[in-house]
Amino acid sequence: MIAGRALHYVFKVAKRAETMDFYRKILGMKILRHEEFTQGCDAQCNGPYDNRWSKTMVGYGPESSHFVVELTYNYGVTSYEMGNDFGGITIRSSAVIERAKAANYPSTMENGKHILVSPGGYRFLIVNETQPTDRDPVMQVTLNVTDIPKSVYYWNSTLQMKIVVQTDNSAVLTYGENQARLQLNKTSEPLNRAQAYGRIAFAVPGDVQPAIQETIKKNNWPILTDLIKLDTPGKASVRVIILADPDGHEICFVDEEGFSELSKVDPEGEALLDKNIAKDPFEQQKA
């Protein structure tokens, strides 16, 4: 079995200042680290853009124990077309609902959950229960798929995620009981990932990555980026392999050893983020 750990989901954002207000003031997440890059990522972490970009990790606690959100910002890109591939991130927190109401932030109801949409168009499903302090408030990530049996076969049989529950129209899988789950929801519409498509990331022991790559190749599934080393200025390097499931949802497997070093909370991260927002000429044009 693959000893995987759910890490984060990657969003592309165009309005960085407005977006960060949402994550900090409405969702109540913390800035865990912020990194600036002068050119595009070799594994297209920021999408198919070869330009200056930034990465900001936000969440309710350290990346070693919480599922977080990676916000990538491409300087000069003013918007991204939203598709229908992403279903939402579910969070258990009545405090989020209270903050949204106090700020008059728009929300709707869906199946008993409060739905908040970030400035970039990404959905958050908020469960009206006390936000836990002994575990991660982030419960699961939902992706829309076109064929439940085919998707479950890929995630369960090939990537070895455990099936928690499966129906004709939905499935929930996980690598462990105390981490965010992956929910797959069937959509009857053609799947469109558009420009705002994201990526889900998992950590695995470094010696497992080559075996994952070999298994994917043997089964003729897509590999978007073969096993590669990625560098972050002034921080630890990591090795990643980028895959795609039957609907094209991108999946990153990163080595646990390198990622544990890279993902340490940076006490200067929030100040670095705010400094770069303040001097960003593109943000000033949007203000």
Side-chain angles (χ1 to χ4, degrees):
M1 293 295 292
I2 294 176
R5 180 168 68 90
L7 297 179
H8 55 256
Y9 197 85
V10 182
F11 293 144
K12 301 185 191 75
V13 301
K15 298 179 179 180
R16 190 165 52 170
E18 184 180 343
T19 296
M20 294 306 171
D21 277 350
F22 171 78
Y23 283 91
R24 287 188 276 195
K25 298 178 182 178
I26 304 299
L27 294 186
M29 292 183 174
K30 305 296 184 184
I31 306 301
L32 304 174
R33 56 187 170 102
H34 176 80
E35 293 143 8
E36 295 277 334
F37 301 87
T38 58
Q39 59 187 25
C41 171
D42 288 339
Q44 294 198 350
C45 304
N46 61 317
Y49 303 93
D50 187 14
N51 48 236
R52 183 185 173 194
W53 65 287
S54 75
K55 173 200 299 182
T56 309
M57 311 303 290
V58 297
Y60 292 108
E63 294 174 70
S64 58
S65 57
H66 290 70
F67 189 89
V68 308
V69 177
E70 176 178 319
L71 301 170
T72 62
Y73 173 74
N74 287 291
Y75 284 83
V77 178
T78 58
S79 66
Y80 298 98
E81 177 193 356
M82 289 297 299
N84 63 353
D85 58 330
F86 181 72
I89 290 179
T90 302
I91 299 172
R92 179 186 286 111
S93 177
S94 55
V96 170
I97 298 171
E98 293 167 3
R99 283 192 294 269
K101 288 181 179 179
N104 292 317
Y105 197 89
S107 70
T108 57
M109 293 295 295
E110 184 178 299
N111 298 322
K113 298 182 179 67
H114 293 252
I115 309 300
L116 302 179
V117 180
S118 74
Y122 302 104
R123 285 163 39 102
F124 289 83
L125 293 68
I126 313 300
V127 178
N128 192 9
E129 296 178 5
T130 301
Q131 181 170 315
T133 57
D134 60 341
R135 63 187 185 279
D136 190 357
V138 177
M139 301 170 65
Q140 68 182 23
V141 178
T142 300
L143 302 179
N144 295 325
V145 300
T146 56
D147 186 323
I148 289 294
K150 187 174 184 179
S151 292
V152 169
Y153 178 83
Y154 180 87
W155 289 92
N156 171 245
S157 298
T158 306
L159 297 186
Q160 300 180 18
M161 292 192 84
K162 177 183 176 183
I163 299 172
V164 178
V165 61
Q166 181 179 351
T167 68
D168 290 341
N169 297 311
S170 180
V172 176
L173 304 97
T174 185
Y175 275 126
E177 293 184 4
N178 298 317
Q179 52 181 284
R181 297 177 173 184
L182 172 66
Q183 181 182 47
L184 306 174
N185 272 356
K186 183 179 180 181
T187 176
S188 58
E189 302 176 353
L191 203 71
N192 177 19
R193 303 191 70 233
Q195 295 174 314
Y197 64 86
R199 175 183 291 177
I200 192 167
F202 302 91
V204 294
D207 58 4
V208 173
Q209 288 174 303
I212 293 175
Q213 178 163 283
E214 186 61 27
T215 297
I216 295 298
K217 287 183 176 180
K218 284 183 178 179
N219 286 276
N220 295 316
W221 292 111
I223 295 179
L224 303 182
T225 303
D226 281 305
L227 192 56
I228 187 176
K229 186 180 79 168
L230 298 180
D231 298 322
T232 298
K235 296 186 179 181
S237 298
V238 297
R239 293 192 306 153
V240 304
I241 176 175
I242 312 298
L243 313 176
D245 81 348
D247 285 293
H249 291 290
E250 295 189 5
I251 308 145
C252 173
F253 281 101
V254 59
D255 70 298
E256 181 73 76
E257 299 84 355
F259 188 79
S260 293
E261 287 297 317
L262 171 66
S263 62
K264 291 180 178 179
V265 176
D266 182 357
E268 303 299 321
E270 185 162 30
L272 181 60
L273 165 66
D274 290 335
K275 175 183 176 181
N276 279 279
I277 289 177
K279 67 180 185 180
D280 180 0
F282 301 106
E283 283 290 348
Q284 308 314 315
Q285 293 170 15
K286 299 168 191 172

